[in-house]
Each structure stands twice: as structure tokens, then as C-alpha cells.
């Protein structure tokens, strides 16, 4: 009986081995599939598209549109790294680049930011609205938050005066070039209708001014013709 039991156990072990090997093969295939899938995603990531230069007239319109915005030197930044703050559960340490030669370390409490996001980035030396005073601007300076250096900050649309969203970091499309002025990027890529409406308004104002100038010129010419006619009549009577 003992011999029979041993034989049964050996048979069970032999049957189990192919099953384990088959599972290992499937796991390896799955890993390869996952890795190849990840590579495909990276390869399919949208590439940056340079914004075509604005015409002098468009630059004038853009300047007028951004007149109410409250910032200077804020650009489109790319989040290249993200990790938890070692001393604060509600803070994160980001690596952000503005397309230059250096990368900035930025500490934030925003939980919605992810690696790969294009965001409104205020580097050291830039200016944003002074929320404490409620008027004017304040210059961004290096600070230390919970023992970690932070060189810059991420901005909401409301802080910049571009929209009313104060709860989220202003995010730009993946194709937006890094380092672009955030106001221009927002208007041209996120809210192009604002620029279109402003352009149409400016065009309508230009046409109205031209029509007024033409009407004034015509009236002046009519008055001159009438005076000339009256002078000629007087001369004939005399």
C-alpha cells in the first residue's frame, strides 16, 4: 500500500510540473506583451507642433486679449518626474523643464498632476498675482517646503487671470511646445475662439473707422464742391 501511495504522489508531481511550466510560459508572454504595449504607447505619444508665428495684426490682438492677465515669464513646462515628499503625505516633488538646459525641482500639493503633463509653470524670477495682497504681482523665489527645495510653482488658470478655475493646475495639450508663453499657448490651443472673436472685433472696428474716414472725406469734398459752386455763381453775378 505504501508503494502505491508513493507512485501516486510521483504521478501527481509529474502532472503538476507541466502545469507550472505552462503557467510560466503564459506569464512570460504576458510580460512581453505588456512591455511591447508600453513601448507602443511611448512611440505613439503626440509630438510637439511649433506654433506658426503671429502676424503683426494678430500680435496686436493677442496683446489686447491678454491685457487682463496677471503674470509675466510664466511658460509651458513639462513634468518629467514625480515622487512623494518624504516628510509630508500631501506634498509631491516634481521635476519640471521649461525646454531650457536646466530642470527645476518643484514641490506641490496638487494630486492631479502626472508625468508627461504640460502645465503652467512659473520659474524663479517670473511674476504671478499676489494672492496675499489681492492686488499687483509677486516674484517667484526659491523656497524650502518641509525640508525640500522648490524652485518655481505650478499655476491655476485663475491665478494667471486666464479663466476661473482655481482648483486645478492649468494643463495644456500634449502637442504644445515646451517653453511657450502660457498665455499665448492657452489662447491659441485651448481657447482659440477668444482670439477669433477678438480678431473679428478688431476687424469690425477697423472697417468702421475706415467707413467713418471715407464718409468724412466725402463730406469735406461735397462741402468744397458746394463752396466752389457758390463762388462761381457769385462771380458770374458780379
Amino acid at each position: 500500500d505504501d508503494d502505491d501511495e508513493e507512485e501516486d504522489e510521483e504521478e501527481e508531481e509529474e502532472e503538476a510540473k507541466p502545469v507550472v511550466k505552462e503557467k510560466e510560459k503564459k506569464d512570460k508572454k504576458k510580460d512581453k506583451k505588456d512591455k511591447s504595449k508600453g513601448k507602443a504607447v511611448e512611440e505613439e505619444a503626440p509630438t510637439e507642433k511649433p506654433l506658426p508665428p503671429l502676424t503683426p495684426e494678430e500680435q496686436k490682438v493677442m496683446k489686447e486679449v491678454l491685457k487682463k492677465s496677471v503674470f509675466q515669464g510664466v511658460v509651458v513646462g513639462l513634468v518629467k518626474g514625480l515622487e512623494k515628499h518624504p516628510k509630508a503625505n500631501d506634498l509631491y516633488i516634481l521635476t519640471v523643464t521649461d525646454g531650457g538646459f536646466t530642470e527645476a525641482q518643484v514641490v506641490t500639493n496638487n494630486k492631479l498632476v502626472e508625468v508627461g503633463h504640460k502645465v503652467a509653470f512659473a520659474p524663479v524670477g517670473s511674476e504671478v498675482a499676489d494672492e496675499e495682497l489681492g492686488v499687483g504681482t509677486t516674484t517667484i523665489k526659491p523656497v524650502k517646503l518641509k525640508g525640500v527645495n522648490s524652485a518655481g510653482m505650478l499655476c491655476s488658470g485663475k491665478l494667471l487671470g486666464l479663466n476661473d478655475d482655481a482648483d486645478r493646475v492649468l494643463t495644456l495639450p500634449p502637442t504644445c511646445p515646451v517653453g511657450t508663453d502660457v498665455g499665448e499657448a492657452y489662447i491659441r490651443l485651448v481657447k482659440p475662439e477668444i482670439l477669433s472673436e477678438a480678431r473679428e472685433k478688431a476687424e469690425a472696428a477697423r472697417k468702421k473707422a475706415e467707413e467713418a474716414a471715407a464718409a468724412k472725406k466725402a463730406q469735406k469734398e461735397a462741402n468744397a464742391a458746394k463752396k466752389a459752386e457758390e463762388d462761381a455763381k457769385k462771380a458770374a453775378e458780379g
Side-chain angles (χ1 to χ4, degrees):
D1 292 339
D2 292 339
D3 292 339
D4 291 340
E5 288 179 3
E6 288 178 3
E7 288 178 2
D8 291 341
E9 287 177 1
E10 288 177 0
E11 288 178 0
E12 287 177 2
E13 286 178 2
E14 289 177 359
E15 290 175 358
K17 286 179 181 177
V19 173
V20 172
K21 288 182 179 179
E22 187 65 29
K23 186 175 182 303
E24 288 176 353
K25 286 181 180 179
K26 287 182 179 179
D27 289 342
K28 287 180 180 178
K29 285 182 180 179
K30 185 176 182 299
D31 289 341
K32 287 182 179 178
K33 187 176 180 182
D34 290 341
K35 288 178 181 177
S36 63
K37 186 178 179 183
K39 288 180 181 177
V41 170
E42 289 177 7
E43 290 172 1
E44 293 171 5
T47 55
E48 292 186 357
K49 296 179 181 178
L51 297 176
L54 294 170
T55 64
E57 185 64 28
E58 287 175 328
Q59 289 177 4
K60 190 176 179 181
V61 172
M62 181 69 74
K63 187 176 180 180
E64 186 65 26
V65 169
L66 294 174
K67 188 180 287 185
K68 294 181 181 179
S69 60
V70 192
F71 65 88
Q72 187 171 351
V74 181
V75 298
V76 177
L78 171 65
V79 179
K80 298 186 72 175
L82 184 155
E83 60 183 84
K84 289 282 292 180
H85 194 294
K87 297 181 180 179
N89 293 328
D90 59 339
L91 294 179
Y92 300 87
I93 303 172
L94 308 178
T95 301
V96 184
T97 177
D98 61 0
F101 296 105
T102 59
E103 296 178 350
Q105 178 173 279
V106 179
V107 178
T108 179
N109 63 352
N110 195 292
K111 298 178 180 179
L112 301 178
V113 177
E114 298 178 7
V115 171
H117 277 182
K118 299 285 182 69
V119 295
F121 172 54
V124 172
S126 60
E127 296 181 12
V128 297
D130 192 324
E131 293 183 292
E132 291 185 6
L133 294 178
V135 62
T137 61
T138 183
T139 302
I140 301 298
K141 299 176 182 177
V143 295
K144 186 171 283 190
L145 299 172
K146 298 288 184 179
V148 175
N149 293 324
S150 181
M153 67 179 290
L154 306 189
C155 309
S156 68
K158 187 170 184 178
L159 179 66
L160 302 176
L162 294 173
N163 61 35
D164 296 323
D165 192 348
D167 300 323
R168 293 178 295 181
V169 169
L170 182 64
T171 304
L172 289 305
T175 55
C176 182
V178 175
T180 305
D181 176 84
V182 74
E184 180 181 344
Y186 178 76
I187 297 299
R188 296 183 69 179
L189 298 176
V190 180
K191 292 288 183 180
E193 64 273 15
I194 294 177
L195 187 61
S196 298
E197 290 171 4
R199 191 185 293 116
E200 290 172 5
K201 188 177 179 181
E203 181 63 19
R206 185 184 64 79
K207 286 183 178 180
K208 188 175 180 180
E210 287 179 352
E211 290 171 359
K216 187 176 181 180
K217 183 180 179 182
Q219 184 64 48
K220 187 177 180 180
E221 290 175 349
N223 291 339
K226 185 177 180 181
K227 187 176 184 304
E229 185 181 346
E230 290 175 351
D231 291 345
K233 188 177 180 181
K234 287 179 181 179
E237 290 175 353

